[in-house]
Amino acid sequence: MSNSFRTLDDADVSGKRVLLRVDLNVPTENGRVTDATRIERVAATIEEIAAKGGKVILLAHFGRPKGGPDEANSLRPVAAAVADVVKRPVAFCPDCIGKTAADSIAKMKNGDVLLLENTRFYKGEEKNDPAHVEALAKLGDIYVNDAFSAAHRAHATTEGLAHKLPAHAGRAMQKELEALTLALGNPARPVAAIVGGAKVSTKLELLGNLVNKVDILIIAGGMANTFLFAEGKHVGKSLCEKDLADTARAIVTAAEKAKCRILLPVDATVAKEFKAHAPARVVDVDDVGEDEMILDIGPKSVAAVEKVLGEIKTLVWNGPFGAFETPPFDAATMAIAKTAARLTKQGKLTSVAGGGDTVAALNEAKVADDFTYVSAAGGAFLEWMEGKVLPGVEALRAK
């Protein structure tokens, strides 16, 4: 890992202007940050560069501005939240290129932290425009990328800068890349993937890539219904993409060819309506009533998944088993999350999970901290699992 990507271990930051790309796209309400998780992820990198005497110049985007400055998408209120987390003053500059930014940077002392205004206020950011990259590069001596969550985009501050300045992965990016290498790059086998979510259509590329990478593919969530339907089972009123039955069968055939075992539910928790504490019953997947919908897997299916977890060495997880936000349809996801966490703590399993719903479910089960790694990067994590090249990551490879 460390030999293929340049990290902070290879950088001398003392007295240098360090352009540090971070993800500060945090939720705010009335100008106050309501969840500082993303700031906490990059705090170690900020603190390390500052402690080593580097000038930390933070580059970040916020919201989706329409290619020009607008107050609602200003990063100004975020500066105070960063200062709270890193326990150092964080100055704010109302621009991210040009004279205003250059003047603010010229005033910095070694160890200072400065947050530049939203990088997306310039159209050149998302276009990765060479002139814009040049203007950014003038402001720094070294580039560090600590924003894995933006690594699937080839923007000026996520990819362009890496070709103009000595480029390194920050500590959060390094941790993410090491975890992903453990999970699918070069995993301890056997390896299983849990793929859930409502629709097969959004996970087609993922399933296609995984059948060639993992030994066991556990299909969960609403998308399992499409596979059951493709096998000729009646799924009642369940969420099901019937027009994708052929696709589901093709994935099963591809898995057989790749010697990848597919695990589908054998029983399910069904209800006639989808609401909290709706009257529910457990049935075999052959016995779903016409007016019922599958909202979670049943105890026999949970036991089958837990048996697999006990036999494998590596687990990659993206997507819940049932409608976990609505009890009692959270039972399977909670039980399986706790089992995976226990096996990880016992040193028997390397577990890497990612995606918004998955992170929420693991937090709900109070086991996120027990997994080997939980990725907060939705789109980038998914594209990486799909086997796609992430431009922001490629740009950090040792030349």
Side-chain angles (χ1 to χ4, degrees), residues 379-393:
F381 179 79
L382 203 57
E383 287 198 19
W384 177 84
M385 274 182 80
E386 287 169 355
K388 291 184 179 154
V389 169
L390 306 182
V393 170

Side-chain angles (χ1 to χ4, degrees), residues 204-281:
L204 278 177
E205 290 181 78
L206 178 58
L207 296 168
N209 183 45
L210 288 178
V211 293
N212 296 304
K213 289 267 178 87
V214 304
D215 303 297
I216 302 169
L217 179 56
I218 299 164
I219 296 179
M223 57 196 289
N225 303 338
T226 303
F227 282 82
L228 293 170
F229 175 78
E231 285 186 351
K233 310 251 188 278
H234 292 289
V235 294
K237 293 193 302 184
S238 308
L239 181 66
C240 177
E241 293 173 290
K242 298 187 172 169
D243 53 331
L244 286 181
D246 285 344
T247 308
R249 285 189 280 267
I251 290 166
V252 172
T253 306
E256 281 166 8
K257 213 169 108 186
K259 305 216 180 332
C260 165
R261 180 178 148 212
I262 288 189
L263 194 65
L264 285 171
V266 290
D267 60 350
T269 301
V270 298
K272 293 188 179 178
E273 51 182 341
F274 176 37
K275 61 171 201 198
H277 309 293
R281 65 184 193 122

